[in-house]
Amino acid sequence: MDLPSLSRSRRTAGSSLIELLAVLAMLLVMAGIAAPSMRGVIRVSHVDGALERLVSDVAYARTLATRYGRPVRLKLLSAETYDIVVDPNGLNRTVRTVAIRGEYPGVALVPVHTELLFDSRGLLTAGPPEIRAVQNGRTETLTITRTGRAYRAP
């Protein structure tokens, strides 16, 4: 057994501390370059997420209207909160309250203080045909047809 060859192979098998620190420094530089662009991606995902949540809740409100055979309202209480209210037997009952500010901070829904009214067949009988989600100058639009279908405007 040759002792000098053993010690030489151990030295070449691993990485030195200097090499590990150099790799870590390069990773930190790359992360610093990528971080500002990630903020934009997160902002886009907040607006998209808020609108997808609203699309889901519009469909839920329509389903409740047809299930109970009663009017259902989706009330935009503020730029960040809305309720789904069922009107069984003439009594308004809030089924769901959604506060989007918790899941999607900084996103505002407009117009505020308005409501979508779905009749017993799930058709939109009152309310604005469009709701917008806005965050830091970025706006996406949700269009609700008279048949009650909601879709994202291109």
Side-chain angles (χ1 to χ4, degrees):
M1 181 180 254
D2 188 12
L3 290 178
S5 66
L6 252 183
S7 64
R8 215 176 300 128
S9 67
R10 280 190 183 165
R11 256 186 269 156
T12 59
S15 301
S16 70
L17 181 60
I18 299 294
E19 291 170 331
L20 290 174
L21 289 175
V23 170
L24 183 62
M26 286 189 280
L27 288 173
L28 287 173
V29 168
M30 290 188 323
I33 292 169
S37 65
M38 289 304 293
R39 287 189 197 123
V41 170
I42 290 170
R43 186 177 322 127
V44 166
S45 70
H46 280 176
V47 172
D48 288 344
L51 273 187
E52 289 304 317
R53 174 68 191 255
L54 188 57
V55 166
S56 174
D57 285 334
V58 166
Y60 180 61
R62 288 181 62 214
T63 300
L64 289 174
T66 57
R67 179 186 302 158
Y68 293 121
R70 297 301 232 166
V72 173
R73 291 177 175 79
L74 191 142
K75 294 182 172 186
L76 288 152
L77 304 172
S78 70
E80 301 153 343
T81 308
Y82 60 88
D83 282 347
I84 298 176
V85 179
V86 178
D87 185 16
N89 304 325
L91 303 172
N92 289 331
R93 184 173 63 98
T94 301
V95 176
R96 181 181 289 171
T97 298
V98 177
I100 63 165
R101 71 178 164 271
E103 294 177 59
Y104 311 105
V107 176
L109 298 175
V110 290
V112 296
H113 306 296
T114 188
E115 63 182 37
L116 302 173
L117 177 62
F118 297 97
D119 67 8
S120 61
R121 297 171 295 163
L123 302 176
L124 182 68
T125 57
E130 292 184 342
I131 297 175
R132 293 180 309 282
V134 180
Q135 183 185 32
N136 296 335
R138 183 171 190 277
T139 303
E140 291 288 329
T141 304
L142 177 70
T143 302
I144 301 108
T145 65
R146 289 293 164 198
T147 59
R149 305 264 336 249
Y151 63 93
R152 305 268 307 267

